[in-house]
Amino acid sequence: MFKVKVYVTLRESVLDPQGTAVMHSLHAMNYKEVSDVRIGKYMELMVEKSDRPVEDVVKEVCDRLLANPVIEDYRFEIEEAVAQ
């Protein structure tokens, strides 16, 4: 079994209105040191071993469901997990 951590973020070329709103709120709270905020998603998947490489399964899941490949990028980390 594998524990997969998936991080999805908007591409740099895509405007992030939610991130901009958070940045303005932080500035209003006097956190002037913050110069940019980008909002993303974090997901954890438990993936069982199969005849397919786990990387292939995760890439397919991300491309088909978890991320919009037109406007989002993703990365993931895979670690061995003990079945519970």
Side-chain angles (χ1 to χ4, degrees):
M1 173 136 330
F2 299 96
K3 180 177 183 179
V4 181
K5 298 176 181 179
V6 180
Y7 304 87
V8 179
T9 55
L10 288 172
R11 293 187 175 200
E12 287 295 323
S13 61
V14 176
L15 293 177
D16 184 354
Q18 187 178 10
T20 301
V22 170
M23 184 183 65
H24 289 306
S25 295
L26 290 170
H27 286 179
M29 296 170 69
N30 212 29
Y31 292 103
K32 305 294 184 193
E33 305 89 351
V34 179
S35 62
D36 191 26
V37 176
R38 302 287 290 179
I39 302 295
K41 299 179 276 188
Y42 169 77
M43 291 155 271
E44 288 185 1
L45 310 174
M46 296 302 290
V47 180
E48 295 192 20
K49 291 183 180 183
S50 70
D51 57 339
R52 296 175 59 194
V54 67
E55 292 86 358
D56 291 351
V57 173
V58 174
K59 285 178 186 176
E60 189 174 308
V61 167
C62 288
D63 286 336
R64 295 186 70 195
L65 180 66
L66 300 182
N68 178 343
V70 175
I71 62 169
E72 294 176 316
D73 291 321
Y74 63 86
R75 65 182 175 84
F76 55 88
E77 301 167 1
I78 299 171
E79 34 183 87
E80 291 271 351
V82 177
Q84 298 179 358

